Amino acid sequence: MSRPDRTDRRGGTGGIRRRLLLVVPAGLLGALLAWTLAGADPVQPEAPTRALADCAGAAVLGLAALPRLHDRLDIPWRVLAIAAGVWAALEFAMLAFEAAEVLGVSVGELGARQFGDFLTDVSGGQIGIAILLGSGAVATYSAFGFRLPERATPDLVLVFTAVTLALRPITGHMSQQAFGSVLAAVHALAAAAWFGLLLALALVVRTRGEWAVLLPRYSAWALPLVGVVGLTGLVNGLVRVGGPAALVTTGYGRILLAKTVLLAALIALGWWWRRRWVPVAADHRMTAESSLRRAVLETVAIAVVFGLAATLAVTA
């Protein structure tokens, strides 16, 4: 989109971009923190895997949505295929953990026949196989897009990814409440878009000029997305905990409180950067390296919240 600046020609952003791998330990850290806060409340063992799966699915959504930010942005099909493949693998691992939990055996003791019965006879298994098929289809199509990019469309990936990401929340614990499924799905998709688009920008944007064009557009999207995440999360949380006292007396409430505090901190950070980062970058007064460093920092911080949210979803 624009001519590389000197930082990009030196490859100075490469080391910063590799810090995006910190999303993995950050998501696990969020899950560990939630597990600690849960106390005596039971937490299903697939929580860390779910945290990473949610991050991977959000990354796929963000990469597929890049042309929505700017029609001249090319889809990085190789990266998209890798992210989708990781997502599908993590969803398979989640299925194995869920099956072992339901059947009362360890993952190592889970037999093929038992696993098959879980997939066909248990509603959680049926939803899980639908999610696995969806993520697998996205991975397969993304690999096709890498081989034949002129014949592939990111819109198809975007739709399939959004539907797949919505499957689990619409059948979760909020599905028993009025409009609970809708709120849960909107919450999950808004969070995935907020996180995934920023991660995608950190992966593909190379120059000061590109940040000048794309960061304000992302910021315009992020504001309503964060608002939706906060509002739907608040409604879902209040319905589930039933009252303020439960925020400190139950494991679910403590995790919800921690998630809310971190989300509020991220909103404050976003407000600050909307005033101090976005206008400076838009005026070409900030290097690509500095913008990338901020994007990586926020992405890793959001991953911690994803870890909390994933554990919250599987806490009794």
Side-chain angles (χ1 to χ4, degrees), residues 225-308:
L225 287 173
V226 173
V228 169
V229 170
L231 180 60
T232 54
L234 178 63
V235 173
N236 287 344
L238 290 176
V239 170
R240 179 67 189 272
V241 299
L247 291 174
V248 293
T249 59
T250 66
Y252 186 95
R254 289 189 293 270
I255 299 172
L256 177 63
L257 183 60
K259 176 190 170 186
T260 303
V261 170
L262 286 179
L263 181 60
L266 282 169
I267 291 173
L269 177 64
W271 174 83
W272 174 256
W273 276 349
R274 189 177 176 87
R275 294 167 58 88
R276 299 294 182 179
W277 173 22
V278 176
V280 175
D283 288 341
H284 298 260
R285 291 184 286 116
M286 182 173 289
T287 65
E289 184 178 13
S290 296
S291 287
L292 178 59
R293 187 178 292 111
R294 286 164 172 77
V296 170
L297 174 62
E298 185 169 349
T299 301
V300 172
I302 298 173
V304 177
V305 179
F306 264 60
L308 285 164

Coordinates of all heavy atoms in Angstrom, one line a residue, residues 225-308:
L225 N -17.2 -2.3 18.7 CA -17.0 -3.7 19.1 C -16.8 -3.9 20.6 O -17.4 -4.8 21.3 CB -15.8 -4.3 18.3 CG -16.0 -4.6 16.8 CD1 -14.7 -5.0 16.2 CD2 -17.1 -5.7 16.6
V226 N -15.9 -3.0 21.2 CA -15.7 -3.1 22.6 C -16.9 -2.8 23.4 O -17.2 -3.4 24.4 CB -14.5 -2.2 23.0 CG1 -14.4 -2.1 24.5 CG2 -13.2 -2.6 22.4
G227 N -17.7 -1.8 22.9 CA -19.0 -1.5 23.5 C -19.9 -2.7 23.6 O -20.5 -2.9 24.6
V228 N -20.0 -3.4 22.5 CA -20.8 -4.6 22.4 C -20.3 -5.7 23.4 O -21.1 -6.3 24.1 CB -20.9 -5.1 21.0 CG1 -21.6 -6.5 20.9 CG2 -21.7 -4.1 20.1
V229 N -19.0 -5.9 23.4 CA -18.4 -6.9 24.3 C -18.7 -6.5 25.7 O -19.2 -7.4 26.5 CB -16.9 -6.9 24.1 CG1 -16.2 -7.8 25.2 CG2 -16.6 -7.5 22.7
G230 N -18.6 -5.3 26.1 CA -18.8 -4.9 27.5 C -20.3 -5.0 27.9 O -20.6 -5.5 28.9
L231 N -21.2 -4.5 27.0 CA -22.6 -4.5 27.3 C -23.1 -6.0 27.4 O -23.8 -6.3 28.4 CB -23.4 -3.7 26.3 CG -24.9 -3.7 26.4 CD1 -25.2 -3.0 27.8 CD2 -25.5 -2.9 25.3
T232 N -22.9 -6.8 26.4 CA -23.4 -8.2 26.4 C -22.7 -9.0 27.5 O -23.4 -9.8 28.1 CB -23.1 -8.8 25.0 OG1 -21.7 -8.8 24.7 CG2 -23.9 -8.2 23.9
G233 N -21.5 -8.7 27.8 CA -20.8 -9.4 28.9 C -21.4 -9.1 30.2 O -21.6 -9.9 31.1
L234 N -21.8 -7.8 30.4 CA -22.4 -7.4 31.6 C -23.8 -8.0 31.8 O -24.1 -8.5 32.9 CB -22.5 -5.8 31.6 CG -23.2 -5.2 32.8 CD1 -22.4 -5.5 34.1 CD2 -23.4 -3.7 32.6
V235 N -24.6 -8.0 30.8 CA -25.9 -8.6 30.8 C -25.8 -10.1 31.1 O -26.5 -10.7 32.0 CB -26.7 -8.4 29.5 CG1 -28.0 -9.2 29.6 CG2 -26.9 -6.9 29.4
N236 N -24.9 -10.8 30.4 CA -24.7 -12.2 30.6 C -24.3 -12.5 32.0 O -24.8 -13.5 32.7 CB -23.7 -12.8 29.6 CG -24.2 -12.9 28.2 OD1 -25.4 -12.8 28.0 ND2 -23.3 -13.0 27.2
G237 N -23.3 -11.7 32.5 CA -22.8 -12.0 33.8 C -23.8 -11.7 34.9 O -24.0 -12.5 35.9
L238 N -24.6 -10.7 34.8 CA -25.6 -10.4 35.8 C -26.7 -11.4 35.9 O -27.2 -11.8 36.9 CB -26.2 -9.0 35.6 CG -25.3 -7.8 35.8 CD1 -26.0 -6.5 35.4 CD2 -24.9 -7.7 37.3
V239 N -27.1 -11.9 34.7 CA -28.1 -13.0 34.7 C -27.5 -14.3 35.3 O -28.3 -14.9 36.1 CB -28.5 -13.3 33.2 CG1 -29.3 -14.5 33.1 CG2 -29.3 -12.1 32.6
R240 N -26.3 -14.6 35.1 CA -25.7 -15.8 35.6 C -25.5 -15.8 37.1 O -25.8 -16.7 37.8 CB -24.4 -16.1 34.8 CG -23.7 -17.4 35.3 CD -24.6 -18.7 35.0 NE -24.0 -19.8 35.6 CZ -23.1 -20.6 35.1 NH1 -22.6 -20.3 33.9 NH2 -22.6 -21.7 35.7
V241 N -24.9 -14.7 37.6 CA -24.5 -14.7 39.0 C -25.7 -14.4 39.9 O -25.7 -14.8 41.1 CB -23.4 -13.7 39.3 CG1 -22.1 -14.0 38.5 CG2 -23.8 -12.2 39.0
G242 N -26.7 -13.6 39.4 CA -27.9 -13.4 40.2 C -27.8 -12.2 41.2 O -28.8 -11.7 41.6
G243 N -26.6 -11.8 41.6 CA -26.5 -10.7 42.5 C -25.1 -10.3 42.8 O -24.2 -11.1 42.5
P244 N -24.9 -9.1 43.3 CA -23.5 -8.6 43.5 C -22.7 -9.5 44.5 O -21.5 -9.6 44.3 CB -23.7 -7.2 44.1 CG -25.0 -6.8 43.7 CD -25.9 -8.1 43.6
A245 N -23.3 -10.1 45.5 CA -22.6 -10.9 46.5 C -21.9 -12.0 45.8 O -20.8 -12.5 46.2 CB -23.6 -11.4 47.5
A246 N -22.5 -12.6 44.8 CA -21.9 -13.8 44.1 C -20.6 -13.5 43.4 O -19.8 -14.4 43.1 CB -22.9 -14.4 43.1
L247 N -20.3 -12.2 43.2 CA -19.1 -11.8 42.5 C -17.9 -12.1 43.4 O -16.7 -12.2 42.9 CB -19.1 -10.3 42.2 CG -20.1 -9.9 41.1 CD1 -20.1 -8.4 41.0 CD2 -19.7 -10.5 39.8
V248 N -18.1 -12.3 44.7 CA -16.9 -12.6 45.6 C -17.1 -13.9 46.3 O -16.1 -14.5 46.8 CB -16.7 -11.5 46.6 CG1 -16.2 -10.2 45.9 CG2 -17.9 -11.2 47.4
T249 N -18.3 -14.4 46.3 CA -18.5 -15.7 47.1 C -18.5 -16.9 46.2 O -18.5 -18.0 46.7 CB -19.9 -15.6 47.8 OG1 -20.9 -15.4 46.8 CG2 -19.9 -14.5 48.8
T250 N -18.5 -16.8 44.9 CA -18.5 -17.9 44.0 C -17.3 -17.8 43.0 O -16.8 -16.7 42.7 CB -19.8 -18.0 43.1 OG1 -19.8 -16.9 42.2 CG2 -21.0 -18.0 44.0
G251 N -16.8 -19.0 42.6 CA -15.7 -19.0 41.7 C -16.1 -18.3 40.4 O -15.3 -17.5 39.8
Y252 N -17.3 -18.6 39.9 CA -17.7 -18.0 38.6 C -17.7 -16.4 38.8 O -17.3 -15.7 37.9 CB -19.1 -18.5 38.3 CG -19.6 -18.0 36.9 CD1 -19.5 -18.8 35.8 CD2 -20.3 -16.8 36.8 CE1 -19.9 -18.4 34.6 CE2 -20.7 -16.3 35.6 CZ -20.6 -17.1 34.4 OH -21.0 -16.7 33.2
G253 N -18.2 -16.0 39.9 CA -18.3 -14.5 40.1 C -16.9 -13.9 40.2 O -16.7 -12.8 39.7
R254 N -16.0 -14.6 40.8 CA -14.6 -14.0 41.0 C -14.0 -13.9 39.6 O -13.3 -12.9 39.3 CB -13.8 -14.8 41.9 CG -14.2 -14.7 43.4 CD -13.2 -15.3 44.3 NE -13.2 -16.8 44.2 CZ -14.0 -17.6 44.9 NH1 -14.9 -17.1 45.8 NH2 -13.9 -18.9 44.7
I255 N -14.2 -15.0 38.8 CA -13.6 -14.9 37.4 C -14.2 -13.8 36.6 O -13.6 -13.1 35.9 CB -13.8 -16.3 36.7 CG1 -13.1 -17.4 37.5 CG2 -13.2 -16.2 35.3 CD1 -13.4 -18.8 37.0
L256 N -15.6 -13.7 36.7 CA -16.3 -12.6 36.0 C -15.8 -11.3 36.4 O -15.6 -10.4 35.6 CB -17.8 -12.8 36.3 CG -18.7 -11.7 35.6 CD1 -18.6 -11.7 34.1 CD2 -20.1 -11.9 36.1
L257 N -15.6 -11.1 37.7 CA -15.1 -9.8 38.2 C -13.7 -9.5 37.7 O -13.4 -8.4 37.3 CB -15.1 -9.8 39.8 CG -14.7 -8.5 40.5 CD1 -15.6 -7.4 40.1 CD2 -14.6 -8.7 42.0
A258 N -12.8 -10.5 37.7 CA -11.5 -10.3 37.2 C -11.5 -10.0 35.7 O -10.8 -9.1 35.2 CB -10.6 -11.5 37.4
K259 N -12.3 -10.7 34.9 CA -12.5 -10.4 33.5 C -13.0 -9.0 33.3 O -12.5 -8.2 32.4 CB -13.5 -11.4 32.9 CG -13.8 -11.1 31.4 CD -14.9 -12.0 30.9 CE -15.4 -11.6 29.5 NZ -16.6 -12.4 29.1
T260 N -14.0 -8.5 34.1 CA -14.5 -7.2 33.9 C -13.5 -6.1 34.2 O -13.4 -5.1 33.5 CB -15.7 -7.0 34.9 OG1 -16.7 -8.1 34.6 CG2 -16.4 -5.7 34.7
V261 N -12.7 -6.3 35.3 CA -11.6 -5.4 35.6 C -10.6 -5.3 34.5 O -10.2 -4.1 34.1 CB -11.0 -5.8 37.0 CG1 -9.7 -4.9 37.2 CG2 -11.9 -5.6 38.1
L262 N -10.2 -6.4 34.0 CA -9.2 -6.3 32.9 C -9.8 -5.7 31.6 O -9.1 -5.0 30.9 CB -8.7 -7.8 32.6 CG -7.7 -8.3 33.6 CD1 -7.3 -9.8 33.2 CD2 -6.5 -7.5 33.8
L263 N -11.0 -6.0 31.4 CA -11.7 -5.4 30.2 C -11.8 -3.9 30.4 O -11.5 -3.2 29.4 CB -13.1 -6.0 30.0 CG -13.9 -5.5 28.8 CD1 -13.1 -5.8 27.5 CD2 -15.3 -6.2 28.8
A264 N -12.1 -3.5 31.6 CA -12.2 -2.0 31.8 C -10.8 -1.4 31.6 O -10.7 -0.3 31.1 CB -12.7 -1.8 33.3
A265 N -9.8 -2.1 32.1 CA -8.4 -1.6 31.9 C -8.1 -1.5 30.4 O -7.4 -0.5 29.9 CB -7.4 -2.4 32.6
L266 N -8.5 -2.4 29.6 CA -8.2 -2.4 28.2 C -9.0 -1.3 27.5 O -8.5 -0.7 26.6 CB -8.6 -3.8 27.6 CG -7.6 -4.9 27.8 CD1 -8.1 -6.2 27.3 CD2 -6.3 -4.6 27.0
I267 N -10.2 -1.1 28.0 CA -11.0 0.0 27.4 C -10.4 1.4 27.7 O -10.3 2.3 26.8 CB -12.5 0.0 28.0 CG1 -13.2 -1.2 27.5 CG2 -13.2 1.3 27.6 CD1 -14.6 -1.5 28.1
A268 N -9.8 1.5 28.9 CA -9.1 2.7 29.3 C -7.9 2.9 28.4 O -7.6 4.0 28.0 CB -8.7 2.7 30.8
L269 N -7.2 1.8 28.2 CA -6.0 1.8 27.4 C -6.4 2.2 25.9 O -5.7 3.0 25.3 CB -5.3 0.5 27.4 CG -4.0 0.4 26.5 CD1 -2.9 1.3 26.9 CD2 -3.5 -1.1 26.4
G270 N -7.5 1.6 25.4 CA -7.9 2.0 24.1 C -8.3 3.5 24.0 O -8.0 4.1 23.0
W271 N -8.9 4.0 25.0 CA -9.3 5.4 25.0 C -8.1 6.3 25.0 O -8.0 7.2 24.2 CB -10.1 5.7 26.2 CG -10.4 7.2 26.4 CD1 -11.4 7.9 25.8 CD2 -9.7 8.1 27.2 NE1 -11.4 9.2 26.2 CE2 -10.3 9.4 27.0 CE3 -8.6 8.0 28.0 CZ2 -9.9 10.5 27.7 CZ3 -8.1 9.2 28.7 CH2 -8.8 10.4 28.5
W272 N -7.1 5.9 25.8 CA -5.8 6.7 25.8 C -5.1 6.6 24.4 O -4.7 7.6 23.9 CB -4.9 6.1 26.9 CG -3.5 6.7 26.9 CD1 -2.4 6.2 26.5 CD2 -3.2 8.0 27.5 NE1 -1.3 7.1 26.7 CE2 -1.8 8.2 27.3 CE3 -4.0 9.1 28.0 CZ2 -1.2 9.4 27.7 CZ3 -3.3 10.2 28.4 CH2 -1.9 10.4 28.3
W273 N -5.0 5.4 23.9 CA -4.3 5.3 22.6 C -5.1 5.9 21.4 O -4.6 6.4 20.4 CB -4.0 3.8 22.3 CG -2.8 3.4 23.0 CD1 -1.8 4.2 23.5 CD2 -2.3 2.1 23.1 NE1 -0.8 3.5 24.0 CE2 -1.0 2.2 23.8 CE3 -2.7 0.8 22.7 CZ2 -0.3 1.1 24.1 CZ3 -2.0 -0.3 23.1 CH2 -0.7 -0.2 23.7
R274 N -6.4 6.0 21.6 CA -7.3 6.6 20.6 C -6.9 8.1 20.5 O -7.1 8.8 19.5 CB -8.7 6.4 20.9 CG -9.7 6.9 19.8 CD -11.1 6.6 20.2 NE -12.1 7.1 19.3 CZ -12.5 6.4 18.2 NH1 -12.0 5.2 18.0 NH2 -13.4 6.9 17.4
R275 N -6.5 8.7 21.7 CA -6.1 10.1 21.7 C -4.6 10.3 21.4 O -4.2 11.3 20.9 CB -6.4 10.6 23.1 CG -7.9 10.7 23.5 CD -8.1 11.0 24.9 NE -7.5 12.2 25.4 CZ -8.1 13.4 25.3 NH1 -9.3 13.5 24.9 NH2 -7.4 14.4 25.8
R276 N -3.8 9.3 21.8 CA -2.3 9.5 21.8 C -1.6 8.8 20.7 O -0.5 9.1 20.2 CB -1.7 9.1 23.1 CG -2.2 10.0 24.3 CD -1.8 11.4 24.2 NE -2.2 12.2 25.3 CZ -2.0 13.5 25.5 NH1 -1.3 14.1 24.6 NH2 -2.5 14.1 26.5
W277 N -2.2 7.6 20.2 CA -1.6 6.8 19.2 C -2.2 7.0 17.8 O -1.5 7.3 16.9 CB -1.6 5.4 19.6 CG -1.1 4.4 18.6 CD1 -0.3 4.6 17.6 CD2 -1.5 3.0 18.6 NE1 -0.1 3.4 16.9 CE2 -0.8 2.4 17.5 CE3 -2.3 2.1 19.3 CZ2 -0.9 1.1 17.1 CZ3 -2.4 0.8 19.0 CH2 -1.7 0.3 17.9
V278 N -3.5 6.9 17.8 CA -4.2 6.9 16.5 C -3.9 8.2 15.7 O -3.5 8.2 14.5 CB -5.7 6.7 16.6 CG1 -6.4 6.8 15.3 CG2 -5.9 5.3 17.2
P279 N -4.1 9.4 16.3 CA -3.9 10.6 15.5 C -2.5 10.8 15.1 O -2.2 11.4 14.0 CB -4.4 11.7 16.4 CG -4.4 11.2 17.8 CD -4.7 9.7 17.6
V280 N -1.5 10.4 16.0 CA -0.1 10.6 15.6 C 0.3 9.7 14.5 O 1.0 10.0 13.5 CB 0.8 10.3 16.9 CG1 2.3 10.3 16.5 CG2 0.5 11.3 18.0
A281 N -0.2 8.4 14.5 CA 0.1 7.5 13.5 C -0.6 7.9 12.2 O 0.0 7.8 11.1 CB -0.4 6.1 13.8
A282 N -1.8 8.4 12.3 CA -2.5 8.9 11.1 C -1.8 10.1 10.4 O -2.0 10.2 9.2 CB -4.0 9.3 11.5
D283 N -1.1 10.8 11.2 CA -0.3 12.0 10.6 C 1.1 11.6 10.2 O 1.9 12.5 9.9 CB -0.2 13.1 11.6 CG -1.6 13.8 11.8 OD1 -2.4 13.7 11.0 OD2 -1.7 14.5 12.9
H284 N 1.3 10.3 10.1 CA 2.7 9.8 9.7 C 3.8 10.2 10.6 O 4.9 10.3 10.2 CB 3.0 10.2 8.3 CG 2.0 9.7 7.2 ND1 2.3 8.6 6.4 CD2 0.8 10.1 6.9 CE1 1.2 8.4 5.6 NE2 0.3 9.3 5.9
R285 N 3.5 10.5 11.9 CA 4.5 11.0 12.8 C 4.9 9.9 13.8 O 5.6 10.1 14.8 CB 3.9 12.2 13.6 CG 3.7 13.4 12.8 CD 3.3 14.6 13.6 NE 1.9 14.5 14.0 CZ 1.5 14.5 15.3 NH1 2.4 14.4 16.3 NH2 0.2 14.4 15.6
M286 N 4.6 8.6 13.5 CA 5.0 7.5 14.3 C 5.6 6.4 13.4 O 5.0 6.1 12.4 CB 3.9 7.0 15.2 CG 4.3 5.8 16.1 SD 2.9 5.3 17.2 CE 2.9 6.7 18.3
T287 N 6.7 5.8 13.8 CA 7.3 4.8 13.0 C 6.4 3.5 13.0 O 5.6 3.3 13.9 CB 8.7 4.4 13.5 OG1 8.6 3.8 14.8 CG2 9.6 5.6 13.5
A288 N 6.6 2.7 12.0 CA 5.9 1.4 12.0 C 6.3 0.5 13.2 O 5.4 -0.2 13.7 CB 6.2 0.6 10.7
E289 N 7.5 0.6 13.6 CA 8.0 -0.1 14.8 C 7.2 0.2 16.0 O 6.8 -0.6 16.8 CB 9.5 0.1 15.0 CG 10.1 -0.8 16.1 CD 11.6 -0.5 16.2 OE1 12.1 0.4 15.6 OE2 12.2 -1.3 16.9
S290 N 7.0 1.5 16.2 CA 6.3 2.0 17.4 C 4.8 1.6 17.4 O 4.3 1.1 18.4 CB 6.4 3.5 17.6 OG 7.8 3.9 17.8
S291 N 4.2 1.7 16.2 CA 2.8 1.3 16.1 C 2.7 -0.2 16.3 O 1.8 -0.7 17.0 CB 2.3 1.7 14.7 OG 2.0 3.0 14.7
L292 N 3.6 -1.0 15.8 CA 3.6 -2.4 15.9 C 3.7 -2.8 17.4 O 3.1 -3.7 17.9 CB 4.6 -3.1 15.0 CG 4.7 -4.6 15.1 CD1 3.4 -5.3 14.7 CD2 5.9 -5.1 14.3
R293 N 4.6 -2.2 18.1 CA 4.9 -2.5 19.5 C 3.6 -2.3 20.3 O 3.3 -3.1 21.2 CB 6.0 -1.6 20.0 CG 6.4 -2.0 21.4 CD 7.6 -1.1 21.9 NE 8.8 -1.4 21.2 CZ 9.4 -0.5 20.3 NH1 8.8 0.7 20.1 NH2 10.5 -0.8 19.7
R294 N 2.9 -1.2 20.0 CA 1.6 -1.0 20.7 C 0.5 -2.0 20.4 O -0.2 -2.5 21.3 CB 1.1 0.4 20.4 CG 1.9 1.5 21.1 CD 1.6 2.9 20.5 NE 2.3 4.0 21.2 CZ 3.6 4.3 21.2 NH1 4.4 3.6 20.4 NH2 4.1 5.3 21.9
A295 N 0.5 -2.4 19.1 CA -0.5 -3.4 18.7 C -0.2 -4.7 19.3 O -1.2 -5.4 19.8 CB -0.5 -3.5 17.2
V296 N 1.0 -5.1 19.4 CA 1.4 -6.4 20.0 C 1.1 -6.4 21.5 O 0.5 -7.3 22.0 CB 2.9 -6.7 19.8 CG1 3.3 -7.9 20.7 CG2 3.2 -6.9 18.3
L297 N 1.4 -5.3 22.2 CA 1.1 -5.2 23.6 C -0.4 -5.3 23.9 O -0.8 -6.1 24.8 CB 1.5 -3.8 24.1 CG 1.2 -3.5 25.6 CD1 1.8 -4.5 26.5 CD2 1.6 -2.1 25.9
E298 N -1.3 -4.6 23.1 CA -2.7 -4.8 23.3 C -3.2 -6.1 23.0 O -4.1 -6.7 23.7 CB -3.4 -3.7 22.5 CG -4.9 -3.7 22.8 CD -5.6 -2.5 22.2 OE1 -5.0 -1.5 21.8 OE2 -6.9 -2.5 22.2
T299 N -2.7 -6.7 21.9 CA -3.1 -8.1 21.5 C -2.8 -9.1 22.6 O -3.7 -9.9 22.9 CB -2.4 -8.5 20.2 OG1 -2.7 -7.5 19.2 CG2 -2.9 -9.9 19.8
V300 N -1.6 -9.0 23.1 CA -1.3 -10.0 24.2 C -2.1 -9.7 25.4 O -2.6 -10.7 26.1 CB 0.2 -9.8 24.5 CG1 0.6 -10.6 25.8 CG2 1.1 -10.2 23.4
A301 N -2.4 -8.5 25.8 CA -3.3 -8.2 26.9 C -4.7 -8.8 26.7 O -5.3 -9.3 27.6 CB -3.3 -6.7 27.2
I302 N -5.2 -8.6 25.5 CA -6.6 -9.1 25.2 C -6.6 -10.7 25.3 O -7.5 -11.3 25.8 CB -7.0 -8.7 23.8 CG1 -7.1 -7.2 23.7 CG2 -8.4 -9.3 23.5 CD1 -7.5 -6.7 22.3
A303 N -5.4 -11.3 25.0 CA -5.4 -12.8 25.1 C -5.5 -13.2 26.5 O -6.1 -14.3 26.8 CB -4.0 -13.3 24.5
V304 N -5.1 -12.5 27.5 CA -5.3 -12.8 28.9 C -6.8 -12.8 29.2 O -7.3 -13.7 29.9 CB -4.5 -11.8 29.8 CG1 -4.8 -12.1 31.3 CG2 -3.0 -11.9 29.5
V305 N -7.5 -11.8 28.7 CA -8.9 -11.8 28.9 C -9.6 -13.0 28.2 O -10.6 -13.5 28.8 CB -9.5 -10.5 28.4 CG1 -11.0 -10.4 28.6 CG2 -8.9 -9.3 29.1
F306 N -9.1 -13.4 27.0 CA -9.7 -14.5 26.4 C -9.5 -15.8 27.2 O -10.4 -16.7 27.3 CB -9.0 -14.7 25.0 CG -9.7 -14.1 23.9 CD1 -10.0 -12.8 23.8 CD2 -10.2 -14.9 22.8 CE1 -10.7 -12.2 22.8 CE2 -10.9 -14.4 21.7 CZ -11.1 -13.0 21.7
G307 N -8.3 -15.9 27.9 CA -8.1 -17.0 28.8 C -9.1 -17.0 29.9 O -9.7 -18.1 30.3
L308 N -9.4 -15.9 30.5 CA -10.4 -15.8 31.6 C -11.8 -16.1 31.1 O -12.5 -16.9 31.7 CB -10.4 -14.4 32.2 CG -9.2 -14.0 33.1 CD1 -9.2 -12.5 33.2 CD2 -9.4 -14.6 34.4

